[in-house]
Each structure stands twice: as C-alpha cells, then as structure tokens.
Amino acid sequence: MNEWINEVWKKLDKKLSAEAVRNRDKIPYTTVDGVYNNMSRDDVTWWTNGFWPGLMWLMYKGTGNGEYKKTAEKGEELLDAAFDEYEKLHHDVGFMWHLSSGVNYRITGNRKSFLRNINAANILAGRYNPCGEFIRSWNGDDNKGWVIIDSMMNIPLLYWASEVSDDPRYKYIAIKHADKVMTTHLRGDGSVNHIVELDIDTGEAVQSFGGQGMREGSSWSRGQSWAVYGYVLSYIHTGNERYLDAAKRVAHYFISCVADTGYIPQSDFRAPKEPVIIDTTAGAIAACGLIEIANNVPEFEKDMYLNAAIKILKALEENYCDWKEETDSILQMGTEAYPRERGRHIPIIYGDYFFTEAIYKLKGFDMLFW
Ligand code: GLY
C-alpha cells in the first residue's frame, strides 16, 4: 500500500510542478482541449476559485518546492477582485478563501491573508438567519430559505474565525447550522437531500429539491460526499460526537452504494442503470472524509473507512487519471450536475484538489486544510 501511495505522490508532484509554472497567471476550473481555462478572467467570483491555490499549497506543504508557493500566492491575489463583487458572493466564500488565504495564513502567518480570510468569515457569518438557525446558501429573492448540503464544507471557515479571534460567535453560528442541516438534510438511511427550503421565520423544512441530483428524493453522490467530509470536519473542530455519528451514517450509505459500481460513484446513486453518468469528484471528496473518519474512530473501527477510501482512490487512479505532463488536469470524468448534459464527464479542479488531498493525508502530512 505504501508503495502505491509513494508512487502516486511522485506522479502528482511531477505533473503538478509542471502545471504550477505554466498556469501561474490563471485560476483554472476545467480544461479546453487539455489546456486549463482561466476563471480569474471568466468569473472571478466562481465558487471553485480557491481550489487551485489550495492544491498548490498542498503540494508546497508536501514537497517544500517554492514554485507551488508562488503559484498559490498569485492565485490568491487574483481572487482579490472577487471582494469587489459583493452581490455575487454567497456561502461559498469558505471554499474560495479558506483554502487560499486561510491556508496561506496558517502556513506563513501572512497578515494580508489573515485579513482576506477574516473578511470572508464575516461575510459567511452575516448570512446567518438567527430565527431559522441556518446560514442562507445563495442570493436572490426566491431562495431566502434555501440551504444546500455543500454548506457543511464552508463552515470550517467559521471554526477558524472563532479560534483566531477568540470570539465564540462564529463557532456558535457554525454549530447551529450543522445541527439544523442534520435534521433537515440527512435522511434516516444515510442519504441526504441536496437542497432544502426552510421557513425563514421558524427554520422548519418546507420542501426539498433534487438540485444537482436526478430529482427530488434522489441521492446526488457529491452531496453525500460533502456531508461525509463536512460532518467529520465539524466533529474535528467541535468534538461533538453527534457530528461524527452523522458522518459515519452517510459514509456507510456511500460505501454500500459505490461497492456496487467498482468504487466509482454514479453521479446520482438513485439514477437508472443507463445512461451511466459517473462523478469521479464525489469519490475523491468522500475518500478525504473517510480517511478523516478513520483518523477519529477507535482502532478497531478504522479499517472499514480507510479500506473504502483506498479502494475508491485506487479505482480513480487506475481508470480516470491522466498523468501526461503536457496536458492540464489529472482526474477526469467529473460531473457538475446529473440533469445537465453540459458539464458531464469533464475534469473539474476540485477533483484534482481532493484526490491530491487524500493522497497527501495517506502520505502522513498532518496539516488539516479545513
Ligand atoms: N458546491 C457545488 C457543487 O458541488 O457542484
């Protein structure tokens, strides 16, 4: 196993060190004919714009190669323009800044990075609805009560803000939100809703939507992954066992679904067998969550989670990784949303981010980026 991990890490470094230099002035999302596009030009407020700097920091932390650091810092600077577009920012400020500025600050102590990340935390905290006890996900008049399961990955920004400011308010918001989502999004069998509309005055669930899954009541695999990783992160930051139990419950469901399809997730676990629409990114995200569950349960519970993570990562590596140095992006066949043909079976930056983070964890590097 160690041999495989070392081999994959070497391949990651070989390809990503080449990508880091040739893509220094970009914030990539996907590729066009094997070349990264540039979201700093196309839409600097796009929710995934923190993953590229985050990926560079993972590799910097794991190798010490300063070229990664330069590219991470450049990506973070490019992202500054997003702060000028306040109306376009929403709950994904966690994804955007906690992995870029937040990680920079934690590695280097950079003051400017601290300010960016605390600004992002204040934006996220400002989205809290104290009557409904939830963080509003998106903007727009029609969805004041909408909450998406992905939000569980944005709240580590709030745990961090409480830690650095010695002010518990951010953490209290995160905990209220995590508790609410546990009652509204997690189903009894371990599957989760993607979007739930909550009453803005009482916080009661009004209705759920399929969102990026097939339809209402289905099971969007990336949503399950956000829940597995998001809840174990809330456990790590708070020590509340109910979050670890929630992460385990969704993990059990996730593992039983992927065991049926060679450890490669379908984009929606409740979709018909045909057409086959897979989402490799869901596998990479879940693997990170499963590794963290394994790190946080007693010794005799670990194997189920760790072995499942390794099976998923091996299946991704064997079938869907492009290791050619001359093309951009590693993990292929990510899917944005089950219902849309556009954005289906493409490389997506967070696929590479989470695949790399999982291997970084397995290598034993211990700085948690979230
Ligand atoms: N957070 C949006 C997505 O996972 O596509």
Side-chain angles (χ1 to χ4, degrees), residues 72-89:
E73 288 168 342
K74 179 69 191 190
E76 184 184 345
E77 273 168 33
L78 290 170
L79 201 49
D80 275 348
F83 277 124
D84 295 335
E85 301 206 46
Y86 172 75
E87 288 81 359
K88 288 172 82 178
L89 297 178

Side-chain angles (χ1 to χ4, degrees), residues 20 40 43 66 72 98 118 129 146 158 172 214 233 285 306-307:
S40 77
D43 180 1
H98 199 45
I118 202 80
N129 176 329
W146 284 26
L158 299 177
Y172 291 157
M214 182 177 65
L233 288 171
I285 297 161
L306 191 58
N307 291 343

Side-chain angles (χ1 to χ4, degrees), residues 47 150 212 220 222 226 350:
W47 73 277
D150 324 30
Q212 284 159 258
W220 177 49
R222 196 161 62 252
W226 294 138
Y350 46 83

Side-chain angles (χ1 to χ4, degrees), residues 55-355:
L55 175 60
M56 295 293 107
W57 283 120
L58 280 172
M59 295 309 296
Y60 173 69
K61 205 54 195 145
T63 65
N65 177 352
E67 296 300 323
Y68 289 121
K69 181 168 181 274
K70 282 189 210 157
T71 305
E73 288 168 342
K74 179 69 191 190
E76 184 184 345
E77 273 168 33
L78 290 170
L79 201 49
D80 275 348
F83 277 124
D84 295 335
E85 301 206 46
Y86 172 75
E87 288 81 359
K88 288 172 82 178
L89 297 178
H90 47 74
H91 75 136
D92 283 333
V93 291
F95 281 124
M96 292 169 74
W97 277 286
H98 199 45
L99 287 181
S100 53
S101 305
V103 173
N104 188 351
Y105 171 68
R106 281 175 283 154
I107 292 177
T108 71
N110 183 306
R111 168 86 182 149
K112 210 161 173 197
S113 300
F114 168 81
L115 291 174
R116 290 172 175 129
N117 212 38
I118 202 80
N119 274 335
N122 281 314
I123 292 171
L124 186 57
R127 302 185 69 81
Y128 184 63
N129 176 329
C131 292
E133 301 185 330
F134 64 86
I135 296 169
R136 175 182 179 175
S137 290
W138 295 319
N139 305 331
D141 283 343
D142 295 336
N143 50 27
K144 293 190 179 77
W146 284 26
V147 177
I148 66 174
I149 187 68
D150 324 30
S151 59
M152 287 304 301
M153 292 299 291
N154 284 315
I155 60 175
L157 172 62
L158 299 177
Y159 297 125
W160 169 85
S162 269
E163 228 177 87
V164 292
S165 63
D166 196 23
D167 180 337
R169 289 175 304 152
Y170 301 97
K171 183 176 79 178
Y172 291 157
I173 289 174
I175 289 171
K176 285 284 184 197
H177 181 79
D179 286 343
K180 173 62 69 176
V181 168
M182 210 150 65
T183 65
T184 54
H185 289 61
L186 269 58
R187 306 183 188 128
D189 65 355
S191 67
V192 304
N193 291 306
H194 180 202
I195 304 174
V196 179
E197 180 182 358
L198 308 184
D199 185 292
I200 54 174
D201 297 315
T202 66
E204 294 292 310
V206 177
Q207 58 180 327
S208 67
F209 301 97
Q212 284 159 258
M214 182 177 65
R215 63 174 167 79
E216 198 280 321
S218 73
S219 171
W220 177 49
S221 61
R222 196 161 62 252
Q224 323 300 300
S225 313
W226 294 138
V228 172
Y229 201 10
Y231 272 101
V232 70
L233 288 171
S234 270
Y235 170 70
I236 291 168
H237 288 292
T238 65
N240 288 338
E241 290 280 341
R242 60 185 181 277
Y243 299 146
L244 182 59
D245 286 341
K248 284 161 76 172
R249 177 148 58 97
V250 186
H252 301 158
Y253 172 83
F254 192 96
I255 294 168
S256 52
C257 289
V258 291
D260 242 12
T261 55
Y263 290 87
I264 300 293
Q266 303 297 300
S267 171
D268 192 307
F269 289 136
R270 291 183 178 161
K273 288 211 180 330
E274 300 288 339
V276 177
I277 302 169
I278 66 167
D279 179 17
T280 55
T281 72
I285 297 161
C288 288
L290 291 167
I291 294 167
E292 287 304 336
I293 295 176
N295 290 340
N296 284 281
V297 293
E299 199 59 37
F300 62 17
E301 282 189 51
K302 279 185 196 306
D303 281 359
M304 177 173 71
Y305 303 103
L306 191 58
N307 291 343
I310 290 166
K311 280 181 189 160
I312 292 168
L313 293 166
K314 283 194 166 168
L316 295 177
E317 207 266 319
E318 273 161 27
N319 297 291
Y320 297 113
C321 281
D322 171 0
W323 295 115
K324 292 190 293 299
E325 274 166 65
E326 61 278 15
T327 52
D328 288 328
S329 85
I330 295 169
L331 189 62
Q332 310 299 299
M333 301 287 277
T335 291
E336 287 176 347
Y338 180 91
R340 286 199 300 268
E341 270 184 47
R342 212 174 131 258
R344 192 177 281 172
H345 294 165
I346 60 169
I348 316 179
I349 191 65
Y350 46 83
D352 281 16
Y353 174 84
F354 285 103
F355 181 80

